[in-house]
């Protein structure tokens, strides 16, 4: 609940900060209006941390640059064509944009940039009422033409104008609704939700890069579950991430399998919990969160009904391929695509550990296969336990505790993070008397398997094994 008296005090404090007060004085002296706008105002009222300072003004870009240059240590005009000038003032980065009155053609999300002449006119063209509030400076007057304060108090996301028109102007705003639902914990007004359903297909005009950016921001929030539900319920997810709504598999009357969609959302929640407990205060691990959300997307394609119930054989392998394809279509970078697909592929590997004690060799292979993703695999695997059966959950938890302890012990004994054969390529060539080539690679892999199976060997024993392998191979 927003306490308005306290919120106004926070706004006064924000307005009195060195950066804001310096900028406000400079624009007043130049005879121009200035207002702090959007997210900083909203977050100050909610008592959330304010990271970005966005301003709007009646001054045109050239005039903005002239005003900020004397009071800033750096300036950039990369957004000049859209009316935006950036600057560094009192150690903070700010962006100042000329009032806008854009028009959209309905065929693309790129507006025909038009500068406006009033703060109120600029505000009503914004995405949601809670982002359409401004703090006029330097007098510190709250400007709220669309009822943003009431919606902030009510925890509601509503568009300043008809949502059908707003989302028609810029379909990306529908994804922003999902992001803010996760970030702020707000509900979406029924009118806006209905318009999202009606206009879901218009998302197709938005570039994959823009969609990826909003998905990443949603997954970076503390509680993305509500936003993902909104995307699925309105049909938006079908346009760019259809594998998630496809998880809503029909459950048979005997409940032979759990609700995969709900399970996946719970795994995402739990993965975020493990991430925060292990790395408090660090940036969100989007790779882990993508893997948690997508880890079971291979199940719809592999679902089989058999006498004993429902099976999903090889859904880990199928899911890894689907994840790679989908993330590629969303223009994620190659490292993220590779790592998420690998985590999806490996997410079932641990469950064999609960069925029979692994040998040291099996533990070494688990570590080798996970490579630098081992800790993420730890968190994903633990998060994948969503059973309500406490005995089963405890058994899995104890088993994974044991596995992590064994990994730590072997790592200390054998430097497992850099497991290599006991002989390098040069020594293999010397022992076998062969030049560089395919044979050396095969010998290297043979010795690596021996190393994984048995641990470190003395050099003379490794050479004896190599010569025996070579003799058998030559027969």
């Amino acid at each position: 609940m927003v306490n308005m008296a306290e919120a106004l005090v926070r706004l006064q404090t924000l307005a009195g900060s060195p950066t804001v007060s310096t900028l406000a004085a400079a624009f007043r002296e130049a005879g121009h209006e200035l207002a702090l706008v959007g997210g900083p105002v909203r977050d100050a009222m909610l008592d959330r941390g304010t990271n970005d300072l966005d301003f709007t003004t009646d001054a045109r870009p050239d005039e903005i640059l002239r005003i900020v240059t004397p009071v800033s240590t750096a300036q950039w005009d990369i957004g000049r064509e859209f009316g935006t000038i950036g600057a560094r003032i009192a150690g903070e980065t700010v962006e100042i944009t000329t009032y806008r009155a854009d028009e959209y053609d309905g065929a693309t999300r790129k507006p025909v940039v038009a500068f406006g002449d009033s703060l109120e006119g600029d505000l009503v063209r914004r995405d949601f009422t809670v982002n359409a509030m401004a703090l006029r400076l330097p007098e510190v007057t709250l400007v709220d033409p669309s009822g943003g304060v009431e919606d902030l108090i009510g925890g509601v996301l509503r568009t300043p104008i008809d949502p059908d028109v707003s989302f028609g102007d810029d379909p990306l705003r529908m994804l922003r609704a999902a992001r803010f639902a996760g970030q702020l914990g707000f509900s979406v007004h029924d009118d806006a939700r209905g318009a999202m359903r009606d206009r879901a297909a218009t998302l197709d005009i938005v570039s994959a890069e823009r969609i990826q950016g909003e998905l990443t921001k949603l997954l970076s929030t503390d509680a993305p579950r509500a936003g993902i539900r909104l995307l699925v319920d309105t049909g938006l997810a079908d346009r760019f991430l259809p594998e998630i709504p496809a998880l809503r598999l029909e459950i048979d009357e005997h409940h032979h399998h759990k609700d995969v969609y709900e399970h996946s959302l719970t795994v995402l929640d739990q993965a975020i919990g493990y991430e925060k407990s292990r790395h408090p205060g660090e940036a969100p691990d989007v790779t882990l969160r993508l893997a948690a959300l997508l880890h079971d997307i291979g199940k719809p394609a592999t679902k089989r009904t058999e006498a004993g119930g429902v099976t999903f054989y090889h859904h880990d392998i199928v899911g890894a391929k689907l994840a790679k394809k989908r993330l590629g279509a969303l223009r994620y970078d190659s490292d993220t695509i590779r790592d998420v697909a690998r985590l999806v592929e490996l997410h079932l590997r641990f469950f064999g550990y609960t069925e029979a004690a692994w040998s040291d060799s099996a533990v070494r292979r688990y570590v080798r296969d996970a490579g630098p993703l081992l800790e993420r695999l730890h968190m994903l695997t633990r998060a994948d336990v969503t059973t309500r059966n406490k005995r089963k959950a405890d058994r899995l938890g104890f088993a994974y505790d044991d596995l992590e302890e064994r990994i730590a012990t072997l790592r200390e004994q054998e430097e497992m993070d850099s497991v290599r054969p006991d002989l390098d390529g040069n020594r293999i060539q010397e022992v076998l008397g062969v030049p560089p080539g395919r044979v050396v690679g095969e010998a290297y892999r043979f010795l690596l398997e021996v190393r994984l199976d048995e641990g470190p060997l003395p050099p003379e024993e490794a050479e004896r094994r190599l010569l025996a392998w070579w003799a058998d191979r030559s027969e």
Side-chain angles (χ1 to χ4, degrees):
M1 186 70 176
V2 177
N3 183 308
M4 282 306 299
E6 294 178 357
L8 292 174
V9 170
R10 288 192 292 271
L11 289 175
Q12 289 280 357
T13 301
L14 179 60
S17 69
T19 300
V20 177
S21 58
T22 296
L23 206 54
F27 273 80
R28 164 163 282 192
E29 184 177 340
H32 284 288
E33 299 176 2
L34 184 73
L36 189 64
V37 67
V41 178
R42 178 200 69 216
D43 290 342
M45 296 184 73
L46 290 173
D47 199 16
R48 295 168 56 92
T50 300
N51 298 317
D52 301 314
L53 292 176
D54 296 321
F55 298 85
T56 188
T57 178
D58 62 338
R60 296 302 193 253
D62 289 343
E63 185 67 5
I64 295 173
L65 190 57
R66 187 189 68 79
I67 294 170
V68 302
T69 298
V71 298
S72 60
T73 55
Q75 313 83 37
W76 50 94
D77 60 357
I78 192 170
R80 182 193 290 261
E81 64 178 306
F82 298 105
T84 300
I85 300 296
R88 188 80 175 164
I89 300 173
E92 292 188 274
T93 298
V94 303
E95 289 189 351
I96 308 104
T97 302
T98 304
Y99 296 153
R100 296 275 290 273
D102 300 341
E103 295 181 356
Y104 294 79
D105 60 13
T108 70
R109 68 170 298 271
K110 294 181 179 179
V112 177
V113 177
F115 296 140
D117 55 11
S118 74
L119 175 58
E120 289 76 7
D122 177 273
L123 293 175
V124 297
R125 55 165 289 280
R126 294 176 180 264
D127 53 6
F128 302 103
T129 60
V130 296
N131 297 329
M133 298 181 291
L135 199 62
R136 197 185 293 276
L137 301 166
E139 56 268 34
V140 194
T141 302
L142 183 63
V143 182
D144 178 21
S146 304
V149 169
E150 288 80 0
D151 289 339
L152 202 67
I153 293 171
V156 176
L157 291 170
R158 186 169 56 86
T159 56
I161 60 175
D162 182 339
D164 194 61
V165 175
S166 180
F167 297 152
D169 284 346
D170 185 359
L172 192 67
R173 289 172 175 168
M174 297 186 289
L175 298 193
R176 287 169 63 84
R179 190 233 300 182
F180 288 125
Q183 179 179 321
L184 303 175
F186 284 11
S187 63
V188 177
H189 191 277
D190 287 344
D191 290 346
R193 185 182 288 266
M196 291 169 71
R197 279 193 289 266
D198 294 342
R199 287 200 158 268
T202 65
L203 193 64
D204 295 349
I205 71 173
V206 180
S207 70
E209 289 83 359
R210 293 279 188 173
I211 292 173
Q212 180 240 100
E214 283 300 325
L215 176 61
T216 296
K217 289 175 182 177
L218 169 59
L219 289 175
S220 298
T221 66
D222 289 340
R225 186 182 191 125
I228 294 168
R229 280 192 186 284
L230 181 64
L231 295 174
V232 171
D233 293 346
T234 57
L236 285 164
D238 289 310
R239 314 306 302 189
F240 70 95
L241 198 61
E243 293 80 5
I244 300 306
L247 293 174
R248 297 177 297 181
L249 300 174
E250 180 180 351
I251 300 178
D252 62 276
E253 59 180 334
H254 301 295
H255 296 276
H256 284 153
H257 70 87
K258 66 182 70 176
D259 185 327
V260 183
Y261 172 62
E262 292 296 333
H263 164 74
S264 297
L265 294 181
T266 300
V267 172
L268 175 59
D269 288 343
Q270 295 186 166
I272 292 172
Y274 283 120
E275 174 196 331
K276 286 183 171 296
S277 66
R278 292 194 179 206
H279 301 284
E282 294 189 13
D285 188 343
V286 175
T287 296
L288 173 64
R289 297 179 186 200
L290 280 167
L293 180 63
L294 303 178
H295 77 285
D296 273 348
I297 60 172
K299 281 191 171 180
T302 58
K303 180 183 176 184
R304 301 290 183 273
T305 303
E306 301 178 352
V310 177
T311 64
F312 303 97
Y313 293 130
H314 306 303
H315 78 267
D316 46 345
I317 306 301
V318 172
K321 293 178 180 178
L322 291 174
K324 185 178 295 185
K325 181 178 179 180
R326 178 56 54 198
L327 296 181
L330 287 171
R331 304 291 192 271
Y332 274 94
D333 63 274
S334 58
D335 288 346
T336 298
I337 295 172
R338 179 199 64 221
D339 291 349
V340 171
R342 187 62 170 158
L343 287 169
V344 172
E345 181 182 355
L346 293 175
H347 83 273
L348 288 182
R349 184 75 63 87
F350 158 74
F351 292 97
Y353 189 85
T354 64
E355 297 167 3
W358 282 0
S359 63
D360 285 351
S361 170
V363 175
R364 293 188 194 100
R365 291 174 192 277
Y366 185 78
V367 174
R368 180 200 59 180
D369 291 347
L373 299 175
L374 183 62
E375 186 183 21
R376 283 173 169 150
L377 185 59
H378 285 332
M379 292 188 281
L380 176 60
T381 302
R382 286 184 180 276
D384 198 20
V385 178
T386 62
T387 179
R388 295 181 180 179
N389 183 322
K390 187 176 186 304
R391 181 176 296 178
K392 181 179 180 181
D394 287 345
R395 177 170 60 84
L396 291 169
F398 293 147
Y400 212 90
D401 288 343
D402 181 66
L403 175 59
E404 289 200 68
E405 288 174 7
R406 288 185 63 190
I407 290 172
T409 299
L410 285 172
R411 177 176 279 147
E412 183 178 347
Q413 293 173 349
E414 304 177 10
E415 298 181 353
M416 285 177 58
D417 287 335
S418 56
V419 171
R420 292 180 176 83
D422 295 295
L423 305 178
D424 63 18
N426 290 331
R427 185 57 185 155
I428 290 172
Q429 293 176 57
E430 293 173 2
V431 172
L432 298 183
V434 297
R438 182 172 56 84
V439 168
V440 177
E442 291 177 4
Y444 188 94
R445 287 189 290 274
F446 163 73
L447 289 173
L448 178 59
E449 291 299 315
V450 173
R451 172 73 171 77
L452 289 167
D453 285 337
E454 303 179 34
L457 297 175
E460 58 274 14
E461 176 61 15
E463 292 177 10
R464 188 187 71 77
R465 297 286 188 92
L466 176 62
L467 288 170
W469 170 82
W470 181 243
D472 288 343
R473 186 179 182 280
S474 302
E475 291 178 357

